[in-house]
Amino acid sequence: MTWLNSLSYGSGGWGDELLHGLGVTLGLAIATFPFAIVLSFLIHWAKVSRYTPVRLFGRAYTTVFKSLPEILTLLILYYQSQAIVSWVVETVAPGSHLSISPFVAGMMALAFVISAYGSEVVRAALNAVGKGQFEAAASLGLSPFNAFFKVILPQVWRHAIPGFGNLWVILLKDTSLVSVITLFELTHVATLAINTTRQPFLFFGLIAVIYVLLVTLSTRAQKQIEKRVSRGFIREENGDV
Amino acid sequence: MLADTAIKFANMNKYFGAFHVLKDINLDVAKGERIVVCGPSGSGKSTLIRCVNALEKYQSGHLYVDGIELDETTSTIRKVRNHVGMCFQHFNLFPHLTALENCTLSPICTHKIPKADAEKQAMDYLAKVRMEGFAHKYPSQLSGGQQQRVAIARSLCMEPDIMLFDEPTSALDPESISEVLDVMVDLAGGGMTMMCVTHEMGFARKVADRVVFMDAGEIVEVNDPEGFFANPQEERSAKFLKQIINH
Amino acid sequence: MFELYFGEMSRWNDGLILTAVMSTLSVVIGFFVALPIALARSKSKGILGFLALGYVNIFRGVPLLVLMFLIYYGSGQFSRELRGLGLWWFFRDAYYCGLLALVLNTAAYQAEIIRGSLDTISASVLETNAALNLTPWTSFRRVLLPIAFAKALPPLGNEYILMVKATSLLAIITVFDLMGQARMIFSETFDLRVYYIAAAHYLVLVLLIEWALRRFEARIKWMA
């Protein structure tokens, strides 16, 4: 059973490295997601701004990040931010060196891409909440801040959870791309393991199973949350006003 | 401007793009006066009252509410809205809050009233609309008429001087309509300034001081209810009345 | 910037063509793989429905990059067996392996799209067809199919765009699509502008496809 040895935990096998890689994969996804959600709202607001340049920026942002392959976005952001940082460091303190970590580059790229799609989730959810709720809040004299946080936002989640849940799954899978810029997440660890063990099917098969399990768990969790959030709205869904 | 004027429209015009929705509106509403606005759909009657709490902007002329001229600045709009309560056709209760929480949200958040006081006040107003037994229910657990009564209580919690009603009964079944109208009649008896867009002519006869008839963005006729129903002065109002009576 | 584009024009064009061919092929082949899966998901409650659900969940759960690695590099572990079966010509070729991964992936997504549009056809449509006394074949061909197609078209168009972007992963397993050419030119020049040129290609390609889809959807406005 040589294949079991190569998965064992410790110096002989790759078990511990894989576990660490799984940690990095989850860490990257979890660190990126809240950032992407906040960006989604900001980009949505940019797209409905009354200032034309802001609106154009919002539209360009979504068009660009939805059109470019994620891997290209990642490479451009990684190399470009590295170039900018090196230039700044060279100007401020000649001779010293600072490099962008693949984790940070991955976070930026994934957050940009996810938020481009996320801004559409936000738009649909706000539409579903309806203009009447804004007007009612305004007619009660609530400030825009209070209207958003006390009235609109609590209702937005219910409509946004399926969309954001979908994006979470996409994000989870897209973390595998960051292996290309040598972040030691699951996929990269597997390629390293294969270089020494020569068992590509075993390792890629194994991580494929891990990804499928992560996605399945996420979908389950999403269903649970949806159920919980929609409690108390059942009659309304039935069209009984 | 007279001290006892609550709302004053002076040569007011509003456009949606190129479409002239409100044409040269002139109307004074006295304090404590109860106005019923009626007219065919698309006549601009909802838009007219939505201007009063700045849910719609107007493009020319003047509009004074409680002596304050409405402009587009946030501070004026917020000041005016503190004096004006509004009830919507579809109630627009916040579905994630109970009846009581709907009522206390603005007093607590905007007027910084302590929670206990706000709740006491809200319970009083809920009692006034005969909904005190439903304070902890969510909107989805209430019938349409009950939701509209909570919405009225919610507006009253702002202690407004003026109440606007935008077709408050047109989304309701006949039974609920009378529940809501009863509450509105009570309210009218209490001396509140009211502007009410409605087709409930029985209500208009009973409580209105004046009826404003609008068509195609213009005020066609302003008359007391007896005069308006018995002897409309304009051909267009007569035609409209005939249609709703035959209906 | 210009010399990076015009100097390497033939490579950029080759890459562009390969990207277009690979994405179109995978979407078209994927559609025909997806049809029976969608029917099984929609109509079968038994073992077929279960297998279809398993297919969809697995191939939507595995990142495409991992799937490509698994098929292209993973098959290497069984090269002797595959030679014996006479299948090695397929699995030793990055182009075929990449295409297979793309097809398996898009078929899972397209199956869900088609199932969704089949399921939204309401009972009332079926009743109407019965009331009009249409034969099952006419009902399927003249009513159900057009409705299902019109409903599925926007999401299928979206899927096409996603596949154009997904083909870029082929570059990682040494295929010279747009992204592959860009990586190659970058490795020779170390000029970051190479990637911006690639980005411009993708942007134009995606916008063109979107424009074409909108024109096409406008023709079947009756659905909206």
Side-chain angles (χ1 to χ4, degrees), chain C residues 14-62:
Chain C
D14 288 351
L16 189 61
I17 289 166
L18 195 61
T19 289
V21 168
M22 289 299 253
S23 52
T24 309
L25 265 182
S26 61
V27 169
V28 172
I29 301 173
F31 180 79
F32 290 104
V33 177
L35 267 180
I37 298 170
L39 282 171
R41 283 276 282 129
S42 176
K43 306 288 177 226
S44 162
K45 298 258 184 299
I47 182 81
L48 276 180
F50 180 77
L51 287 177
L53 178 65
Y55 177 92
V56 167
N57 279 346
I58 288 171
F59 287 104
R60 290 200 311 176
V62 182

Short mmCIF file of all heavy atoms in Angstrom, two decimals, chain C residues 14-62:
data_model
loop_
_atom_site.label_atom_id
_atom_site.label_comp_id
_atom_site.label_asym_id
_atom_site.label_seq_id
_atom_site.Cartn_x
_atom_site.Cartn_y
_atom_site.Cartn_z
N ASP C 14 -3.17 33.43 -33.72
CA ASP C 14 -3.30 31.99 -33.48
C ASP C 14 -3.98 31.73 -32.14
O ASP C 14 -4.87 30.89 -32.02
CB ASP C 14 -1.91 31.32 -33.46
CG ASP C 14 -1.32 31.24 -34.86
OD1 ASP C 14 -2.06 31.55 -35.81
OD2 ASP C 14 -0.12 30.90 -34.98
N GLY C 15 -3.54 32.48 -31.13
CA GLY C 15 -4.11 32.31 -29.79
C GLY C 15 -5.59 32.62 -29.76
O GLY C 15 -6.40 31.87 -29.20
N LEU C 16 -5.94 33.74 -30.42
CA LEU C 16 -7.34 34.16 -30.45
C LEU C 16 -8.20 33.09 -31.11
O LEU C 16 -9.27 32.73 -30.60
CB LEU C 16 -7.45 35.48 -31.23
CG LEU C 16 -8.79 36.19 -31.18
CD1 LEU C 16 -9.14 36.55 -29.75
CD2 LEU C 16 -8.76 37.42 -32.07
N ILE C 17 -7.70 32.56 -32.24
CA ILE C 17 -8.49 31.55 -32.96
C ILE C 17 -8.66 30.31 -32.09
O ILE C 17 -9.75 29.75 -31.97
CB ILE C 17 -7.80 31.21 -34.31
CG1 ILE C 17 -7.95 32.40 -35.26
CG2 ILE C 17 -8.42 29.96 -34.92
CD1 ILE C 17 -7.05 32.33 -36.47
N LEU C 18 -7.55 29.90 -31.45
CA LEU C 18 -7.64 28.69 -30.62
C LEU C 18 -8.61 28.89 -29.46
O LEU C 18 -9.41 28.00 -29.13
CB LEU C 18 -6.26 28.30 -30.10
CG LEU C 18 -6.20 26.88 -29.55
CD1 LEU C 18 -6.53 25.87 -30.63
CD2 LEU C 18 -4.84 26.58 -28.95
N THR C 19 -8.57 30.07 -28.84
CA THR C 19 -9.51 30.36 -27.75
C THR C 19 -10.95 30.27 -28.25
O THR C 19 -11.80 29.63 -27.61
CB THR C 19 -9.23 31.77 -27.18
OG1 THR C 19 -8.00 31.73 -26.46
CG2 THR C 19 -10.33 32.20 -26.22
N ALA C 20 -11.20 30.89 -29.41
CA ALA C 20 -12.56 30.86 -29.95
C ALA C 20 -12.99 29.43 -30.28
O ALA C 20 -14.11 29.02 -29.96
CB ALA C 20 -12.64 31.74 -31.20
N VAL C 21 -12.08 28.67 -30.91
CA VAL C 21 -12.43 27.31 -31.31
C VAL C 21 -12.68 26.43 -30.09
O VAL C 21 -13.69 25.72 -30.01
CB VAL C 21 -11.30 26.70 -32.19
CG1 VAL C 21 -11.51 25.20 -32.36
CG2 VAL C 21 -11.26 27.39 -33.54
N MET C 22 -11.77 26.47 -29.12
CA MET C 22 -11.90 25.60 -27.96
C MET C 22 -13.16 25.93 -27.15
O MET C 22 -13.87 25.03 -26.69
CB MET C 22 -10.67 25.72 -27.04
CG MET C 22 -9.42 25.10 -27.61
SD MET C 22 -9.58 23.33 -27.92
CE MET C 22 -8.59 22.67 -26.60
N SER C 23 -13.45 27.23 -26.97
CA SER C 23 -14.62 27.56 -26.17
C SER C 23 -15.91 27.19 -26.92
O SER C 23 -16.83 26.63 -26.32
CB SER C 23 -14.61 29.04 -25.79
OG SER C 23 -14.44 29.83 -26.93
N THR C 24 -15.95 27.44 -28.23
CA THR C 24 -17.15 27.11 -28.99
C THR C 24 -17.36 25.60 -29.01
O THR C 24 -18.48 25.11 -28.77
CB THR C 24 -17.04 27.64 -30.42
OG1 THR C 24 -16.69 29.03 -30.37
CG2 THR C 24 -18.36 27.48 -31.16
N LEU C 25 -16.29 24.87 -29.29
CA LEU C 25 -16.41 23.41 -29.32
C LEU C 25 -16.91 22.87 -27.98
O LEU C 25 -17.80 22.02 -27.94
CB LEU C 25 -15.04 22.79 -29.61
CG LEU C 25 -14.70 22.44 -31.06
CD1 LEU C 25 -13.32 21.80 -31.11
CD2 LEU C 25 -15.75 21.50 -31.64
N SER C 26 -16.33 23.37 -26.89
CA SER C 26 -16.71 22.82 -25.59
C SER C 26 -18.17 23.14 -25.28
O SER C 26 -18.88 22.30 -24.73
CB SER C 26 -15.78 23.32 -24.49
OG SER C 26 -15.86 24.71 -24.38
N VAL C 27 -18.63 24.35 -25.63
CA VAL C 27 -20.02 24.70 -25.34
C VAL C 27 -20.97 23.84 -26.18
O VAL C 27 -21.97 23.31 -25.68
CB VAL C 27 -20.28 26.20 -25.59
CG1 VAL C 27 -21.77 26.49 -25.56
CG2 VAL C 27 -19.58 27.03 -24.55
N VAL C 28 -20.64 23.65 -27.48
CA VAL C 28 -21.54 22.88 -28.36
C VAL C 28 -21.57 21.40 -27.95
O VAL C 28 -22.64 20.81 -27.77
CB VAL C 28 -21.11 23.04 -29.83
CG1 VAL C 28 -21.91 22.09 -30.72
CG2 VAL C 28 -21.31 24.49 -30.27
N ILE C 29 -20.37 20.81 -27.78
CA ILE C 29 -20.35 19.39 -27.35
C ILE C 29 -21.00 19.26 -25.98
O ILE C 29 -21.79 18.35 -25.73
CB ILE C 29 -18.90 18.84 -27.32
CG1 ILE C 29 -18.26 18.95 -28.71
CG2 ILE C 29 -18.90 17.40 -26.84
CD1 ILE C 29 -16.78 18.59 -28.74
N GLY C 30 -20.67 20.22 -25.10
CA GLY C 30 -21.24 20.20 -23.76
C GLY C 30 -22.76 20.25 -23.76
O GLY C 30 -23.41 19.60 -22.94
N PHE C 31 -23.34 20.98 -24.72
CA PHE C 31 -24.80 21.07 -24.81
C PHE C 31 -25.40 19.69 -25.04
O PHE C 31 -26.39 19.32 -24.41
CB PHE C 31 -25.19 22.03 -25.93
CG PHE C 31 -26.68 22.18 -26.09
CD1 PHE C 31 -27.40 23.00 -25.23
CD2 PHE C 31 -27.36 21.51 -27.10
CE1 PHE C 31 -28.77 23.14 -25.37
CE2 PHE C 31 -28.74 21.65 -27.24
CZ PHE C 31 -29.45 22.47 -26.37
N PHE C 32 -24.79 18.93 -25.95
CA PHE C 32 -25.36 17.62 -26.26
C PHE C 32 -25.12 16.61 -25.14
O PHE C 32 -25.90 15.68 -24.96
CB PHE C 32 -24.82 17.11 -27.60
CG PHE C 32 -25.39 17.92 -28.74
CD1 PHE C 32 -24.62 18.87 -29.40
CD2 PHE C 32 -26.71 17.76 -29.12
CE1 PHE C 32 -25.15 19.64 -30.41
CE2 PHE C 32 -27.26 18.53 -30.14
CZ PHE C 32 -26.48 19.47 -30.79
N VAL C 33 -24.03 16.81 -24.38
CA VAL C 33 -23.83 15.97 -23.18
C VAL C 33 -24.86 16.36 -22.12
O VAL C 33 -25.39 15.51 -21.40
CB VAL C 33 -22.40 16.14 -22.62
CG1 VAL C 33 -22.22 15.33 -21.34
CG2 VAL C 33 -21.37 15.71 -23.67
N ALA C 34 -25.16 17.65 -22.05
CA ALA C 34 -26.04 18.15 -20.99
C ALA C 34 -27.49 17.74 -21.19
O ALA C 34 -28.21 17.51 -20.21
CB ALA C 34 -25.93 19.68 -20.91
N LEU C 35 -27.95 17.65 -22.46
CA LEU C 35 -29.37 17.37 -22.72
C LEU C 35 -29.88 16.13 -21.98
O LEU C 35 -30.86 16.24 -21.23
CB LEU C 35 -29.60 17.23 -24.22
CG LEU C 35 -30.04 18.49 -24.96
CD1 LEU C 35 -30.24 18.20 -26.44
CD2 LEU C 35 -31.31 19.07 -24.35
N PRO C 36 -29.25 14.95 -22.18
CA PRO C 36 -29.77 13.78 -21.47
C PRO C 36 -29.67 13.92 -19.95
O PRO C 36 -30.56 13.45 -19.22
CB PRO C 36 -28.88 12.63 -21.97
CG PRO C 36 -27.71 13.26 -22.60
CD PRO C 36 -28.15 14.60 -23.09
N ILE C 37 -28.62 14.60 -19.47
CA ILE C 37 -28.48 14.78 -18.02
C ILE C 37 -29.62 15.65 -17.49
O ILE C 37 -30.24 15.35 -16.47
CB ILE C 37 -27.12 15.43 -17.69
CG1 ILE C 37 -25.98 14.51 -18.14
CG2 ILE C 37 -27.00 15.70 -16.20
CD1 ILE C 37 -24.62 15.16 -18.07
N ALA C 38 -29.94 16.71 -18.25
CA ALA C 38 -31.03 17.59 -17.84
C ALA C 38 -32.35 16.85 -17.83
O ALA C 38 -33.15 16.99 -16.89
CB ALA C 38 -31.11 18.80 -18.78
N LEU C 39 -32.59 16.03 -18.87
CA LEU C 39 -33.84 15.27 -18.92
C LEU C 39 -33.93 14.32 -17.74
O LEU C 39 -34.98 14.20 -17.10
CB LEU C 39 -33.94 14.51 -20.24
CG LEU C 39 -34.36 15.37 -21.43
CD1 LEU C 39 -34.22 14.60 -22.73
CD2 LEU C 39 -35.79 15.85 -21.25
N ALA C 40 -32.80 13.66 -17.42
CA ALA C 40 -32.80 12.74 -16.29
C ALA C 40 -33.07 13.48 -14.99
O ALA C 40 -33.83 13.02 -14.14
CB ALA C 40 -31.45 12.01 -16.21
N ARG C 41 -32.47 14.67 -14.83
CA ARG C 41 -32.67 15.47 -13.62
C ARG C 41 -34.13 15.90 -13.51
O ARG C 41 -34.70 15.94 -12.43
CB ARG C 41 -31.80 16.73 -13.66
CG ARG C 41 -30.37 16.51 -13.36
CD ARG C 41 -30.08 16.48 -11.87
NE ARG C 41 -30.04 17.81 -11.26
CZ ARG C 41 -30.74 18.14 -10.19
NH1 ARG C 41 -31.56 17.29 -9.65
NH2 ARG C 41 -30.62 19.34 -9.67
N SER C 42 -34.72 16.26 -14.67
CA SER C 42 -36.05 16.84 -14.65
C SER C 42 -37.14 15.77 -14.53
O SER C 42 -38.13 15.97 -13.84
CB SER C 42 -36.25 17.67 -15.92
OG SER C 42 -37.56 18.18 -15.98
N LYS C 43 -36.96 14.65 -15.23
CA LYS C 43 -38.06 13.70 -15.35
C LYS C 43 -37.90 12.45 -14.49
O LYS C 43 -38.88 11.81 -14.15
CB LYS C 43 -38.23 13.26 -16.82
CG LYS C 43 -38.38 14.41 -17.80
CD LYS C 43 -39.75 15.08 -17.68
CE LYS C 43 -39.85 16.26 -18.63
NZ LYS C 43 -40.40 17.45 -17.99
N SER C 44 -36.64 12.07 -14.18
CA SER C 44 -36.46 10.79 -13.51
C SER C 44 -36.23 10.96 -12.02
O SER C 44 -35.42 11.76 -11.58
CB SER C 44 -35.26 10.05 -14.13
OG SER C 44 -34.83 9.03 -13.25
N LYS C 45 -37.02 10.21 -11.24
CA LYS C 45 -36.82 10.25 -9.79
C LYS C 45 -35.92 9.10 -9.34
O LYS C 45 -35.46 9.05 -8.22
CB LYS C 45 -38.17 10.12 -9.07
CG LYS C 45 -39.14 11.24 -9.37
CD LYS C 45 -39.18 12.25 -8.21
CE LYS C 45 -40.21 13.33 -8.47
NZ LYS C 45 -39.93 14.12 -9.68
N GLY C 46 -35.68 8.13 -10.25
CA GLY C 46 -34.97 6.92 -9.86
C GLY C 46 -33.46 7.03 -10.00
O GLY C 46 -32.87 8.10 -9.78
N ILE C 47 -32.85 5.92 -10.40
CA ILE C 47 -31.40 5.81 -10.43
C ILE C 47 -30.80 6.80 -11.43
O ILE C 47 -29.76 7.40 -11.16
CB ILE C 47 -30.98 4.35 -10.75
CG1 ILE C 47 -29.47 4.19 -10.74
CG2 ILE C 47 -31.55 3.87 -12.07
CD1 ILE C 47 -28.91 4.03 -9.35
N LEU C 48 -31.48 7.00 -12.57
CA LEU C 48 -30.95 7.94 -13.57
C LEU C 48 -30.88 9.35 -13.02
O LEU C 48 -29.89 10.05 -13.19
CB LEU C 48 -31.83 7.92 -14.82
CG LEU C 48 -31.54 6.82 -15.83
CD1 LEU C 48 -32.50 6.92 -17.02
CD2 LEU C 48 -30.09 6.92 -16.31
N GLY C 49 -31.94 9.75 -12.34
CA GLY C 49 -31.97 11.08 -11.74
C GLY C 49 -30.86 11.24 -10.72
O GLY C 49 -30.20 12.29 -10.65
N PHE C 50 -30.62 10.18 -9.95
CA PHE C 50 -29.59 10.21 -8.93
C PHE C 50 -28.20 10.34 -9.56
O PHE C 50 -27.38 11.16 -9.13
CB PHE C 50 -29.67 8.93 -8.09
CG PHE C 50 -28.64 8.87 -7.00
CD1 PHE C 50 -28.78 9.60 -5.84
CD2 PHE C 50 -27.51 8.06 -7.15
CE1 PHE C 50 -27.83 9.56 -4.84
CE2 PHE C 50 -26.55 8.01 -6.16
CZ PHE C 50 -26.71 8.76 -5.00
N LEU C 51 -27.97 9.54 -10.62
CA LEU C 51 -26.67 9.62 -11.32
C LEU C 51 -26.47 11.01 -11.90
O LEU C 51 -25.38 11.59 -11.82
CB LEU C 51 -26.62 8.57 -12.43
CG LEU C 51 -26.45 7.13 -11.97
CD1 LEU C 51 -26.48 6.18 -13.16
CD2 LEU C 51 -25.14 6.97 -11.20
N ALA C 52 -27.53 11.56 -12.50
CA ALA C 52 -27.42 12.90 -13.10
C ALA C 52 -27.08 13.92 -12.04
O ALA C 52 -26.23 14.80 -12.24
CB ALA C 52 -28.73 13.26 -13.80
N LEU C 53 -27.74 13.82 -10.87
CA LEU C 53 -27.46 14.75 -9.78
C LEU C 53 -26.01 14.61 -9.33
O LEU C 53 -25.31 15.60 -9.09
CB LEU C 53 -28.41 14.48 -8.61
CG LEU C 53 -28.20 15.35 -7.37
CD1 LEU C 53 -28.51 16.80 -7.71
CD2 LEU C 53 -29.07 14.88 -6.21
N GLY C 54 -25.54 13.35 -9.24
CA GLY C 54 -24.15 13.12 -8.85
C GLY C 54 -23.19 13.77 -9.84
O GLY C 54 -22.24 14.46 -9.44
N TYR C 55 -23.47 13.59 -11.13
CA TYR C 55 -22.62 14.19 -12.16
C TYR C 55 -22.54 15.70 -11.97
O TYR C 55 -21.46 16.29 -11.93
CB TYR C 55 -23.19 13.87 -13.56
CG TYR C 55 -22.39 14.51 -14.67
CD1 TYR C 55 -21.34 13.83 -15.27
CD2 TYR C 55 -22.66 15.82 -15.08
CE1 TYR C 55 -20.60 14.43 -16.27
CE2 TYR C 55 -21.91 16.43 -16.06
CZ TYR C 55 -20.89 15.72 -16.66
OH TYR C 55 -20.14 16.32 -17.62
N VAL C 56 -23.72 16.31 -11.83
CA VAL C 56 -23.78 17.77 -11.72
C VAL C 56 -23.01 18.23 -10.48
O VAL C 56 -22.20 19.16 -10.55
CB VAL C 56 -25.25 18.24 -11.66
CG1 VAL C 56 -25.33 19.68 -11.23
CG2 VAL C 56 -25.90 18.05 -13.02
N ASN C 57 -23.25 17.58 -9.35
CA ASN C 57 -22.59 18.03 -8.12
C ASN C 57 -21.08 17.85 -8.18
O ASN C 57 -20.33 18.70 -7.71
CB ASN C 57 -23.15 17.27 -6.92
CG ASN C 57 -24.46 17.87 -6.46
OD1 ASN C 57 -24.80 18.99 -6.87
ND2 ASN C 57 -25.19 17.16 -5.64
N ILE C 58 -20.62 16.73 -8.76
CA ILE C 58 -19.18 16.51 -8.82
C ILE C 58 -18.51 17.51 -9.75
O ILE C 58 -17.55 18.18 -9.37
CB ILE C 58 -18.87 15.07 -9.26
CG1 ILE C 58 -19.23 14.10 -8.12
CG2 ILE C 58 -17.39 14.91 -9.64
CD1 ILE C 58 -19.17 12.65 -8.49
N PHE C 59 -19.04 17.66 -10.96
CA PHE C 59 -18.32 18.50 -11.92
C PHE C 59 -18.54 19.98 -11.69
O PHE C 59 -17.83 20.81 -12.25
CB PHE C 59 -18.65 18.08 -13.35
CG PHE C 59 -17.98 16.77 -13.69
CD1 PHE C 59 -18.70 15.60 -13.73
CD2 PHE C 59 -16.61 16.72 -13.89
CE1 PHE C 59 -18.07 14.40 -14.00
CE2 PHE C 59 -15.98 15.52 -14.16
CZ PHE C 59 -16.71 14.35 -14.21
N ARG C 60 -19.55 20.34 -10.88
CA ARG C 60 -19.62 21.74 -10.47
C ARG C 60 -18.79 21.99 -9.22
O ARG C 60 -18.53 23.13 -8.87
CB ARG C 60 -21.07 22.16 -10.22
CG ARG C 60 -21.87 22.23 -11.52
CD ARG C 60 -23.10 23.09 -11.38
NE ARG C 60 -23.87 22.75 -10.19
CZ ARG C 60 -24.95 23.40 -9.81
NH1 ARG C 60 -25.37 24.43 -10.53
NH2 ARG C 60 -25.60 23.04 -8.74
N GLY C 61 -18.39 20.92 -8.54
CA GLY C 61 -17.64 21.08 -7.30
C GLY C 61 -16.13 21.13 -7.51
O GLY C 61 -15.42 21.77 -6.74
N VAL C 62 -15.63 20.46 -8.56
CA VAL C 62 -14.18 20.42 -8.77
C VAL C 62 -13.74 21.67 -9.54
O VAL C 62 -14.31 21.97 -10.57
CB VAL C 62 -13.78 19.17 -9.59
CG1 VAL C 62 -12.28 19.11 -9.77
CG2 VAL C 62 -14.29 17.92 -8.92
#
